[in-house]
């Protein structure tokens, strides 16, 4: 049976890592794998926590756009236009790469700001993040033997 506290810590780490806050859910996942925890529940919990954090970013982006004309808004109109052009250029499928460090978190905020639908966002971000954790776990198992 899986330790609920280990899963809870992994979920918190994955959630925090997906927001604009720094974190490393990969290290938490690898540490728990090294401690002998089963792969399936770890990958599931890490994925759900990480996608939940990305949903917070998406909601934040949707909410913040109502203030884009305010002087205090953190992003200039030119930067917003550039982000929208980039997003339109690479399209919805770029959300499969929401797991990539440095660019992934802002990408999920931009998706919210650009009004990407909930279901496409959830499916693409979820697939990308699940794939990343599965590859990481498989790589660990291959090395650890």
């Amino acid at each position: 049976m899986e330790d609920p506290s280990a899963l809870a810590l992994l979920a918190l780490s994955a959630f925090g890592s997906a927001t604009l806050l720094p974190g490393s859910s990969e290290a938490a996942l690898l540490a728990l794998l090294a401690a002998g925890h089963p792969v399936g529940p770890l990958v599931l919990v890490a994925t759900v926590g990480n996608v939940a954090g990305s949903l917070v970013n998406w909601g934040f982006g949707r909410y913040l756009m109502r203030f884009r004309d305010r002087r205090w808004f953190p992003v200039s109109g030119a930067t917003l236009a550039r982000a929208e052009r980039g997003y339109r250029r690479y399209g919805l499928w770029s959300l499969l790469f929401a797991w990539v460090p440095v660019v992934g978190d802002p990408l999920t905020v931009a998706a919210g700001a650009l009004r990407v639908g909930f279901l496409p966002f959830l499916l693409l971000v979820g697939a990308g993040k699940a794939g990343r954790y599965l590859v990481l776990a498989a790589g660990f198992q291959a090395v650890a033997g």
Side-chain angles (χ1 to χ4, degrees), residues 65-133:
M65 286 308 290
R66 71 181 65 196
F67 302 109
R68 68 180 166 262
D69 296 328
R70 305 276 173 92
R71 186 174 13 197
W72 56 262
F73 192 72
V75 181
S76 71
T79 301
L80 273 176
R82 191 169 48 251
E84 186 170 353
R85 281 192 309 273
Y87 187 79
R88 303 270 182 245
R89 180 177 178 198
Y90 296 109
L92 192 61
W93 296 103
S94 65
L95 290 172
L96 287 169
F97 300 98
W99 60 269
V100 175
V102 180
V103 298
D105 297 342
L107 180 62
T108 59
V109 174
L114 297 172
R115 314 298 277 175
V116 170
F118 175 78
L119 190 58
F121 179 88
L122 185 65
L123 293 174
L124 291 169
V125 170
K129 289 178 181 268
R132 180 254 326 255
Y133 287 123

Side-chain angles (χ1 to χ4, degrees), residues 12-23 49-58 60 98 102 104-106 108-109 129:
L12 284 172
S13 174
F15 179 86
S17 296
T19 64
L20 295 174
L21 302 172
N50 212 238
V51 170
S54 291
L55 282 169
V56 168
N57 291 346
W58 176 82
F60 186 64
V102 180
D105 297 342
T108 59
V109 174
K129 289 178 181 268

